[in-house]
Amino acid sequence: MNYKLILCCPLLAALLLQSCSTPKMLNLDPVTVTENIPGSKVYRGSYTRKTDLINTRLDLSFDWDSAYVHGKATIQAKPYFYATDQLLLNANGFRIKNVSLVNSYDKKPLQYKYDGKILSITLDKVYNNDQIYTVFIDYVAMPNKLKIGEDISSSGDRGMYFINLDGKDKDKPKQIWTQGETECNSNWFPTINDTQEKMTQELNITVPNEFVSLSNGTLEFSSLNGDGTRTDSWRQEQAHSTYLTMLAVGNFTITKDKWRDKEVSYYTEPAYASTARLVFGNTPQMMEFFSLKLGVDYPWDKYSQIVVRDFVSGAMENTSATVFYEGLNMSEGQYIDQNQEDIISHELFHHWFGDLVTAESWANLPLNESFATYAEYLWDEFKNGRDQADFKGFQDLSAYFGNKSNENLDVIRFDYADREHMFDEISYQKGGRIIHMLRKTVGDAAFFKALNLYLTRNAYKSAEIHDLRLVFEEVTGTDMNWFFNQWFLSSGHPVLDIQNTFDPQSKEVSVTIRQNQDLSKTPLYRIPIAIDIYVNSKVERKEVVLDKQKQSFVFPVAALPDLVNIDAEKYILAEKSEVKTLQQYAFQYEHAPLFMDRMEAVIMLLQKKEESLSKRILITAFNDKNWVIRNTALLVLEYLSNEEKTSVYQKIKELALNDGNSQVRASAVEILGKHYRSMDNRTIFAITARDKSLAVKKATNDASKK
């Protein structure tokens, strides 16, 4: 009997999402826009650069009662190219007290206009682009007073947040933290909202003595003010984009670590200081791995990671000082169940892709987010092996396929209605899978050499998608327009109908692949494909290129193949419809080498769980080397006869007690409570009740009640 596998099917999506990593996309209030209605013409290019910011110094103090920011900004700048006597700064909802030109001796008042959003300053003369000037601005910022729908699009756009500012919530600490992406830092200091705008900075932050502060760069010194406050002076001498400026203030315990000769630190609430090194302790190893892999050492003065309350996103890669949401406040039991290393590696990798080299426009955001998403795969591959990395890729694929509303969006898209819409499954998960396909297409040596060239050539600058393409062309010596056009600059994905037949007379296998995607909206793809043909316990790989709507490939074989494994590397981002026999899926599980080979087989065998061959293979999969497959195969318990259940009882007990993954242990405990209530499991439950995993403890508690 033949069975049809369609990727991605609902069962597949459900299985994939059983262990999804923490979301990293922004969670914002709905944004209502009208600029991108059907028929409208929208182009979101790079901003025009009129001014080049060189350095920003901020002297800041805070009014906790009113949630006001009292700031003094000293801005060094010059015209970008054309001579001008005007400086335009984004400053949203400020009270401007004074604007002056700073010279060697004093400050000269300057004329300015302010409409509540743009501060337009008339300089004392016309400056050329080789002439630097310094402007001083005394202001009050009021982020809590910004009105949603009028001053800001959503509650996630305030830029600076005062947490529990009145101290009435006894279960929540008082904190201040900032979130600059996309263009929210201009809600607490005057600047230019443009990803291309890079500057060095100095932040002098006055805080109560009992609090600590964190900002970009290094803490140069602290000064006691004699009034119960202290001023911390932070300096960053390497230029970065204005949206990456940050600060955080609160009662944090600092756990110190080190990578080479650079400080690594973890800022947590005191209650979580004991597990800070457990949660973040792999950071130095990650820094070393990424530095060696990219051939570019971690480029910033230090690396701090801080966990705050009520964060508006999963995390934010502020240069040298990443902010995480409170889900990183973890007990040992929580860490065992989900260690959050995906999000930690993601934000760290941004310090190369996003911070060192920054997307020159929000349309090019995948140059930041697709690479950071792919870093999760790279770290998993290094630390846990390809099997676990491929599961991560599988999850990303499922997340992309799971949101059909985004299917017709280009990856690099200049027609977005609102820049916040760029933070979606296209920029993250689909983009990460495209990066993986790029790696597979050119090979590892060329892939990492091209990334090195991209980073070194564009260091401390901004870049667009064509900068990435050009370095790949330079390294490989081949034209890469076909790849970048179909994947980065177009929407959708291939929809492949795959068939294969064996002719016993000619002893040939014919593989026919048809691209069924809507070609009026989606490209006809060029896809290099590996096909593995298994005959008499031997496997032979055939490399072909799919570049027509329908193609057939014919291969001589010695006998009827046990399996024809198409897309043998399992890397193509495509919906695939394919027919195989039950025996072929069983063979695929037992002989094909990759996680995805086995996962596909297990999914299809579960759909035919009444077949004895399916049951046998699924029971074998209880011993699979990958925990996801072990956990998925356990679903067959629902369909085993009483005799079959008895035959695997000892194995279920073994998994409950000894499996290396807490999710599998928890599943096995649940099975004991549901399917083996006639057995005496009290001794087992007494042991699992002491498991450090919270998931296993909960499963034990639930099972014991049944």
Side-chain angles (χ1 to χ4, degrees), residues 211-229:
F211 287 163
V212 300
S213 72
L214 175 64
S215 188
N216 315 92
T218 57
L219 180 62
E220 297 290 295
F221 57 88
S222 295
S223 304
L224 294 175
N225 300 319
D227 60 355
T229 67

Side-chain angles (χ1 to χ4, degrees), residues 319-556:
T319 309
S320 81
T322 292
V323 180
F324 291 95
Y325 84 120
E326 61 198 74
L328 276 289
N329 282 330
M330 285 193 282
S331 67
E332 183 181 0
Q334 290 170 314
Y335 178 83
I336 289 171
D337 292 333
Q338 187 176 21
N339 61 32
Q340 303 275 11
E341 285 194 2
D342 281 353
I343 194 170
I344 293 171
S345 59
H346 180 111
E347 304 307 325
L348 173 60
F349 205 68
H350 267 310
H351 284 73
W352 287 267
F353 290 86
D355 295 6
L356 180 62
V357 181
T358 309
E360 73 167 25
S361 66
W362 298 117
N364 282 275
L365 180 70
L367 286 175
N368 298 358
E369 296 300 347
S370 299
F371 274 103
T373 301
Y374 191 56
E376 302 170 35
Y377 182 98
L378 291 174
W379 173 249
D380 251 347
E381 183 181 38
F382 169 74
K383 186 186 179 192
N384 302 310
R386 180 173 174 179
D387 250 40
Q388 188 60 28
D390 281 350
F391 173 55
K392 169 61 189 167
F394 201 18
Q395 287 179 301
D396 287 346
L397 198 66
S398 178
Y400 163 63
F401 281 125
N403 190 350
K404 293 294 184 182
S405 64
N406 285 345
E407 192 172 281
N408 294 322
L409 299 176
D410 295 350
V411 179
I412 305 296
R413 52 191 185 272
F414 296 93
D415 61 348
Y416 60 80
D418 187 278
R419 59 183 176 270
E420 304 298 346
H421 294 172
M422 288 296 300
F423 294 81
D424 60 10
E425 294 87 356
I426 306 296
S427 294
Y428 285 73
Q429 287 90 352
K430 181 181 182 182
R433 289 291 82 203
I434 292 172
I435 298 297
H436 185 63
M437 287 192 293
L438 181 57
R439 176 186 175 188
K440 289 293 184 180
T441 298
V442 302
D444 273 19
F447 178 77
F448 289 107
K449 185 174 181 179
L451 296 191
N452 174 273
L453 182 58
Y454 172 80
L455 292 171
T456 53
R457 179 169 292 171
N458 300 293
Y460 305 105
K461 296 187 290 187
S462 57
E464 62 175 325
I465 191 64
H466 299 297
D467 294 305
L468 184 68
R469 173 180 59 82
L470 289 171
V471 297
F472 271 89
E473 290 184 342
E474 183 174 333
V475 168
T476 63
T478 61
D479 187 290
M480 296 294 294
N481 270 297
W482 66 272
F483 184 95
F484 281 76
N485 286 344
Q486 71 185 22
W487 290 114
F488 285 110
L489 298 171
S490 298
S491 62
H493 54 265
V495 178
L496 305 180
D497 181 75
I498 302 169
Q499 298 179 359
N500 73 83
T501 58
F502 170 68
D503 185 339
Q505 300 299 321
S506 61
K507 290 191 175 180
E508 291 177 330
V509 165
S510 177
V511 175
T512 300
I513 305 176
R514 181 180 178 87
Q515 297 193 42
N516 285 333
Q517 65 272 15
D518 183 350
L519 296 181
S520 68
K521 298 178 181 179
T522 306
L524 180 68
Y525 288 86
R526 175 184 175 187
I527 310 172
I529 296 181
I531 301 174
D532 283 354
I533 302 175
Y534 292 79
V535 178
N536 297 329
S537 301
K538 294 181 180 180
V539 60
E540 185 175 358
R541 174 160 294 187
K542 306 293 184 179
E543 304 278 359
V544 301
V545 176
L546 184 67
D547 57 7
K548 296 180 178 62
Q549 189 167 10
K550 183 179 180 181
Q551 283 174 271
S552 294
F553 306 94
V554 178
F555 310 105

Side-chain angles (χ1 to χ4, degrees), residues 141-303:
M142 299 164 281
N144 272 20
K145 288 195 170 183
L146 297 174
K147 296 179 181 178
I148 298 172
E150 183 177 327
D151 302 311
I152 54 178
S153 295
S154 74
S155 61
D157 291 340
R158 295 194 182 281
M160 179 177 286
Y161 294 80
F162 290 75
I163 305 303
N164 194 23
L165 58 88
D166 58 9
K168 291 182 179 179
D169 188 341
K170 301 305 179 185
D171 296 323
K172 185 177 291 186
K174 294 180 67 172
Q175 295 176 351
I176 300 173
W177 48 259
T178 62
Q179 166 61 10
E181 194 176 37
T182 51
E183 298 178 3
C184 306
N185 274 344
S186 57
N187 296 338
W188 60 277
F189 72 93
T191 190
I192 295 177
N193 290 332
D194 184 353
T195 64
Q196 301 172 100
E197 195 57 58
K198 298 208 171 193
M199 64 180 190
T200 59
Q201 67 180 53
E202 304 165 64
L203 267 65
N204 301 311
I205 308 169
T206 297
V207 299
N209 282 336
E210 66 268 23
F211 287 163
V212 300
S213 72
L214 175 64
S215 188
N216 315 92
T218 57
L219 180 62
E220 297 290 295
F221 57 88
S222 295
S223 304
L224 294 175
N225 300 319
D227 60 355
T229 67
R230 182 188 74 254
T231 299
D232 293 341
S233 296
W234 294 86
R235 179 189 299 270
Q236 181 166 290
E237 296 183 348
Q238 298 150 295
H240 71 159
S241 295
T242 57
Y243 77 88
L244 294 167
T245 296
M246 70 80 67
L247 66 80
V249 175
N251 181 18
F252 298 100
T253 297
I254 306 173
T255 301
K256 294 290 183 72
D257 211 334
K258 189 177 182 181
W259 172 73
R260 298 185 187 177
D261 60 347
K262 293 187 177 183
E263 176 187 318
V264 176
S265 54
Y266 319 127
Y267 287 63
T268 59
E269 294 173 31
Y272 296 95
S274 61
T275 56
R277 197 175 297 276
L278 174 67
V279 174
F280 294 105
N282 282 329
T283 300
Q285 187 183 14
M286 289 182 188
M287 296 170 76
E288 183 72 10
F289 168 66
F290 290 142
S291 295
L292 294 176
K293 202 73 174 172
L294 297 170
V296 177
D297 287 348
Y298 174 80
W300 307 100
D301 290 334
K302 63 108 168 55
Y303 188 46

